[in-house]
Amino acid sequence: AGVSSLVTYAWGAGAVPAHADAEAFLNEFWDTCDADGRTDFGGLIALATRAMVIDGESFVIFRQRADGLKLQLLPAEQVDESLTRELGGGAYIAAGVEFNTQGERVAYWIRPFVPTQQFETWTTPVRVDAADVLHLMRPEGIGQVRGVSWLAPIMLKLADLGLLSDALLKGFQVAAMHAGFLEDANGASALPFEGDKEGDALDVALEPGVVRRLPPGYKITFNNPEAARQSVEFRTSVIEEIAAGLGVPAFMLSANVSRANYSSLRAALITFKASL
């Protein structure tokens, strides 16, 4: 939900043409720009933005074909992050990005195949001029070469939230187990239980509305499990921490606006939009 909110508010209504000529070009280019033929320009930007949020970066390759300019979206792992070496004269490659002696990006080293695909054929990365590559990322520090996932600050909290949900669910399941325990007060009774092969079985099964007579010497006690206290408040605080780490309002993650009013929602949205 948080990633979807970031993509929606970052991309918004999409590109807006500045004048008539741009509008004519955009209308023609919009539906046919995808090199893979799966979506339009708006879909490409939305996918690139989503990949940037999740993976920290995404890459768009400009392909000039007979039917015009095409855009091809590549996953971040296709740019060889393991490739780092000196090229001499001050030029170098860092994490698959080539820099010249002035420290300018001049090329990207891209694998022809995605490393995680099922039938990968290993080949050396191909050098692609930086003028044909759009590298979408959010710099977090000076001199940063590759992107960092926007989910990095909240990964541990997400794991904690999953463990918390599992623990609360298990607690409610245990609380729903209404069990009874038969005790032999004087230790002299020897009646067998249901399922024993010999003697008259002692029926101790629980049924709705049943009243059972216990034999002499037996008494019964019941367990009384309790669910975790303040579980809702604690879970809400964890979600709020995750929202703060991701930089989105908490109600966008939980879809719960029961404790919010118009003023608080508007203040949260204004800050959220200003941060994008």
Side-chain angles (χ1 to χ4, degrees), residues 4-5 38 40 83 94 96-97 100-101 120-121 124 148 150 152 165 170 183 189 193 211 217 234 237 241 248 260 271:
S4 298
S5 299
R38 297 176 299 176
D40 55 13
L83 184 59
V97 183
N100 60 14
T101 55
E120 178 194 2
T121 301
T124 57
V148 178
W150 296 20
S165 298
K170 183 60 66 176
E183 300 179 13
S189 300
F193 287 94
V211 178
F234 183 64
S237 67
E241 292 179 7
V248 301
T271 304

Side-chain angles (χ1 to χ4, degrees), residues 21 30 76 92 122 191 199:
D21 292 339
W30 188 280
Y92 62 94
W122 186 89
L191 290 177

